[in-house]
Amino acid sequence: MEELPVPQNIKINNITCDSFKISWDMDPKSKERITHYFIDLNKKENKNSNKFKHKDVPTKLVAKAVPLPMTVRGHWFLSPRTEYTVAVQTASKQSDGDYAVSEWSEIIEFCTADYSPVHLTQLLEKAEVIAGRMLKFSLFYRNQHKEYFDEARVQQGNKMMPSVKDNSGSHGSPISGKLEGIFFSCNTEFNTGKAPQDSPYGRYRFEVQAEVLFNQKTNLYFGDLYCMYTAYHYVILVLAPSGSPGDEFCKQRLPQLNIADNKFLTCTEEDGRLVFHHAQDVILEVIYTDPLDLSLGTVAEISGHQLRSLSTVNAKKDPSCKICNISVGR
């Protein structure tokens, strides 16, 4: 029997967080003999990967020979923002049930995409279910080490400067490693109405009146929902001054929230004054996307402990949690 043709000039396009389209050049004379395609899909080896960790099982896909390009979709074997290698064989099913196959094609590399706004809206809807009632607050605060504030005063013109967000949260988050901002908290203790005295991030706290960061000239975006194998969940929100670079970045990638009417963080007007509320049952991580002058608030040492174990720096999301995962790649 004449050998089956090896797929040539493989092209990958229309890549999402859990799908892609694949096509290749093929001799028209051979198409009638080809009944199936075999696709070998593997996560690209990371040089820094843990050598003792169980390796991912390679995914061998068998597909009927459909017109190209062919869509490959599956959240059980495709994760967002992950590098893969792919190779293809053509195959012909024989009368005895076995397959005659071509040689493998060249190996092609590609990277899956971030969560789209559609996926983030699914996460948003899950977060709304668990957000709980709203509590009043008046301050945003940021804990850091003394050296951080000293450097801001001396080397940065008395300003805290945005930095690139770490990789905490959902693996497919479009803001991780890309959005620049300054991390703030606003959660209060329900019995005192004040910020907690403990913090994982440092013994010095910058406090600023809520209206400085959050007002009618600020846009609010939902960024992520995640947990770290714990009962409580984190919601990442982004505060971006209207028209700023951060605002333009978020507008294209994140669901925008109504600042006066949402389940997480609100700014409303009562008797001519701005009033602020935050959700009680989730821990809010608020990213402000512009530089901020220290003169707009105060810096003081907290009386509590530095609870390093509660830090979410580069925290990995629990992929098995049914509350904060959606049915796409983790």
Side-chain angles (χ1 to χ4, degrees), residues 13-22 39 41 59 61 63 70-79 110 112 116 118-119 327-329:
N13 51 39
N14 290 75
I15 300 169
T16 73
C17 64
D18 64 349
S19 70
F20 61 91
K21 284 189 176 181
I22 185 168
I39 298 174
L41 185 69
T59 301
L61 305 175
M70 179 178 71
T71 298
V72 178
R73 183 187 306 279
H75 68 266
W76 57 94
F77 58 77
L78 282 173
S79 297
F110 71 99
T112 47
S116 71
V118 172
H119 298 121
S327 59
V328 295

Side-chain angles (χ1 to χ4, degrees), residues 55-222:
K55 284 191 174 182
D56 289 296
V57 177
T59 301
K60 297 284 195 298
L61 305 175
V62 179
K64 285 189 175 179
V66 296
L68 300 176
M70 179 178 71
T71 298
V72 178
R73 183 187 306 279
H75 68 266
W76 57 94
F77 58 77
L78 282 173
S79 297
R81 204 188 270 204
T82 303
E83 292 184 323
Y84 289 92
T85 61
V86 64
V88 187
Q89 285 176 315
T90 55
S92 177
K93 193 168 187 178
Q94 309 297 293
S95 56
D96 60 3
D98 283 343
Y99 289 92
V101 295
S102 72
E103 296 292 323
W104 284 105
S105 71
E106 62 177 326
I107 295 172
I108 299 295
E109 297 180 359
F110 71 99
C111 185
T112 47
D114 298 333
Y115 283 162
S116 71
V118 172
H119 298 121
L120 286 168
T121 299
Q122 293 175 28
L123 271 181
L124 164 62
E125 290 167 353
K126 281 178 163 281
E128 288 175 335
V129 173
I130 62 169
R133 69 188 182 99
M134 302 291 277
L135 297 178
K136 191 177 285 190
F137 79 100
S138 60
L139 297 170
F140 286 104
Y141 56 94
R142 172 174 174 77
N143 275 73
Q144 272 288 353
H145 303 287
K146 182 176 182 294
E147 293 76 18
Y148 169 86
F149 294 110
D150 290 342
E151 183 177 327
R153 292 188 189 96
V154 176
Q155 298 181 21
Q156 297 168 182
N158 208 46
K159 290 181 179 179
M160 294 185 290
M161 303 302 291
S163 58
V164 176
K165 184 195 170 296
D166 66 8
N167 288 314
S168 60
S170 299
H171 189 58
S173 169
I175 61 176
S176 292
K178 296 181 181 178
L179 178 68
E180 293 189 356
I182 307 170
F183 168 92
F184 282 93
S185 301
C186 65
N187 287 79
T188 54
E189 295 179 322
F190 72 92
N191 54 339
T192 65
K194 296 181 179 179
Q197 277 301 310
D198 300 323
S199 169
Y201 303 109
R203 294 192 53 80
Y204 284 80
R205 176 174 291 170
F206 172 80
E207 293 185 347
V208 61
Q209 292 295 317
E211 59 263 30
V212 174
L213 307 188
F214 194 20
N215 51 61
Q216 281 86 353
K217 294 180 181 178
T218 314
N219 286 327
L220 177 65
Y221 298 91
F222 173 83

Side-chain angles (χ1 to χ4, degrees), residues 241-257:
S242 182
S244 66
D247 188 35
E248 293 305 314
F249 178 95
C250 295
K251 201 169 287 184
Q252 300 170 37
R253 296 169 176 84
L254 304 180
Q256 186 170 351
L257 303 176

Side-chain angles (χ1 to χ4, degrees), residues 285-303:
E285 298 186 320
V286 181
I287 298 172
Y288 184 71
T289 62
D290 269 13
L292 195 65
D293 200 298
L294 290 173
S295 65
L296 295 171
T298 58
V299 177
E301 190 172 1
I302 59 172
S303 59

